[in-house]
Amino acid sequence: MTSATQQSTSIGPYSLPNQVILAPMAGVTDRPFRQLCRRLGAGWVVGEMVTSDPSLWHTRKSQLRMDHTGEPDPRVVQIAGGDAQMLAQAARLNVELGAQIIDINMGCPAKKVCNKAAGSALLRDEALVADILDAVVKAVDVPVTLKIRTGWCAESNNGVRIARLAEDAGIQALAVHGRHREQRYTGWAEYDTIADIKSCLSIPVIANGDITSPEKAADVLRHTGANAVMIGRGAQGNPWIFKQITHYLQHGEQLALPSLEERRHVLAGHVAALHAFYGDTMGVRIARKHIGWYLESDLRFCDAKRRELKQQFNALASPETQFDWINDAMAFDADKRLLAKGTHAA
């Protein structure tokens, strides 16, 4: 089985090795998670969005978000803001710091972003969108891409007009989440607008929204004609989804689920990378949400057992106890090792 869009897709000097990209997600797609997803088959990965206000770059959060040490090419940095010249300056500075592709965020629905007239709030002002795209494209010599939603609300589904503005401005690829901003992450993504956008553009189009399985990825690619799919929440707790989708697109069959030993190896490696990146205290805390997501995709446990196991892991306060828990949880007799104990806290 091959999709109609499986021919090579290039963005500037870079070619997509497959049709599956990791979406930028604040608080999720940090360097450890990006590196893990690349190892497990993501063609490209996009980092957490960075504010376009350089005066805020000294914060620990911004410094960590801008850390791409050791990552393979291309390093894709997403910037967010509402001022054309500030975004242009942010693009220049990020390129100086090693960004090889600049992505502009016009898709984030978060209130704290939209209240600053950034993210998907920009879709309400097409003249401002045109100014921003023109300024950023002219500011840097690297490819500039754009991520949008279908519009601000159901009555303002202007994704096609925004897409045409993007291509006219020199944007080299467009990712489209199949929801308008007022939906946030509720309801269901729709792909008709993405298909309409793809039909009127010559630049690559990437489909995003509710793609959580290989079959769904194939269906979305067929329906939209998109060049690739972008995986967001579907990768939380399941970083294997990238090679699962690629295998399905190439062979028309499901890839075998990862073994317990592979899951143990990946979970332990991911948690170790979080400890190393953030330090023990912050790393232990951040590991909790990721393990919660891994448990949600673990079919061995019912919902009640998952809740109990999450509570156990969330009570752990040191790297050592987290690794002990992972070794027990990924054993064939996990029920006996963990659930019978009632607690595994330090």
Side-chain angles (χ1 to χ4, degrees), residues 16-23 38 41-45 206 211 217 221 227-231 241-247 249:
L16 275 170
N18 57 40
Q19 292 178 274
V20 198
I21 299 171
L22 173 66
R38 282 294 286 260
W44 283 8
V45 298
I206 302 155
I211 301 170
L221 285 169
N227 300 78
V229 290
M230 181 172 273
I231 309 299
I241 192 171
F242 301 99
K243 64 180 179 181
Q244 290 169 349
I245 291 174
T246 297
H247 182 87
L249 293 176

Side-chain angles (χ1 to χ4, degrees), residues 68-307:
H68 292 260
T69 305
E71 293 191 65
D73 296 348
R75 293 181 292 279
V76 187
V77 174
Q78 186 183 75
I79 56 176
D83 180 85
Q85 294 310 311
M86 189 175 285
L87 280 160
Q89 176 68 356
R92 283 191 290 267
L93 292 172
N94 274 288
V95 169
E96 290 175 8
L97 292 171
Q100 294 167 307
I101 295 176
I102 294 293
D103 185 62
I104 304 172
N105 182 322
M106 293 189 186
C108 181
K111 283 186 177 180
K112 66 180 180 180
V113 175
C114 289
N115 287 346
K116 296 179 180 178
S120 55
L122 292 167
L123 301 177
R124 292 178 295 183
D125 189 340
E126 294 179 18
L128 178 57
V129 167
D131 287 344
I132 288 172
L133 300 178
D134 183 67
V136 175
V137 168
K138 289 179 177 176
V140 293
D141 293 327
V142 304
V144 179
T145 60
L146 175 65
K147 188 168 192 288
I148 65 171
R149 287 190 163 224
T150 58
W152 174 258
C153 62
E155 293 71 37
S156 176
N157 213 46
N158 60 342
V160 171
R161 292 199 302 275
I162 296 290
R164 287 193 173 113
L165 288 174
E167 185 168 50
D168 289 346
I171 293 296
Q172 296 198 32
L174 179 69
V176 187
H177 184 116
R179 286 181 173 86
H180 53 75
R181 188 268 169 180
E182 287 191 351
Q183 285 181 274
R184 293 175 174 82
Y185 295 103
T186 62
W188 299 101
E190 58 92 2
Y191 307 106
D192 290 346
T193 302
I194 301 176
D196 290 343
I197 288 171
K198 175 60 182 175
S199 70
C200 69
L201 296 189
S202 60
I203 61 174
V205 172
I206 302 155
N208 175 229
D210 293 349
I211 301 170
T212 58
S213 71
E215 296 93 337
K216 186 64 175 287
D219 287 344
V220 170
L221 285 169
R222 278 194 297 267
H223 184 82
T224 62
N227 300 78
V229 290
M230 181 172 273
I231 309 299
R233 290 172 293 165
Q236 294 175 0
N238 184 23
W240 297 274
I241 192 171
F242 301 99
K243 64 180 179 181
Q244 290 169 349
I245 291 174
T246 297
H247 182 87
Y248 187 81
L249 293 176
Q250 292 175 347
H251 304 289
E253 62 181 16
Q254 292 281 359
L255 191 66
L257 294 176
S259 66
L260 277 178
E261 175 56 26
E262 183 180 350
R263 288 179 67 85
R264 186 200 66 77
H265 177 75
V266 167
L267 267 65
H270 187 183
V271 170
L274 290 170
H275 296 159
F277 187 65
Y278 291 104
D280 286 353
T281 301
M282 194 173 174
V284 162
R285 189 165 63 247
I286 290 173
R288 293 168 182 160
K289 64 183 176 185
H290 284 280
I291 292 299
W293 290 325
Y294 282 115
L295 283 171
E296 287 175 10
S297 66
D298 196 324
L299 302 179
R300 295 175 298 156
F301 305 118
C302 67
D303 289 345
K305 288 183 178 180
R306 290 191 191 101
R307 286 193 295 271

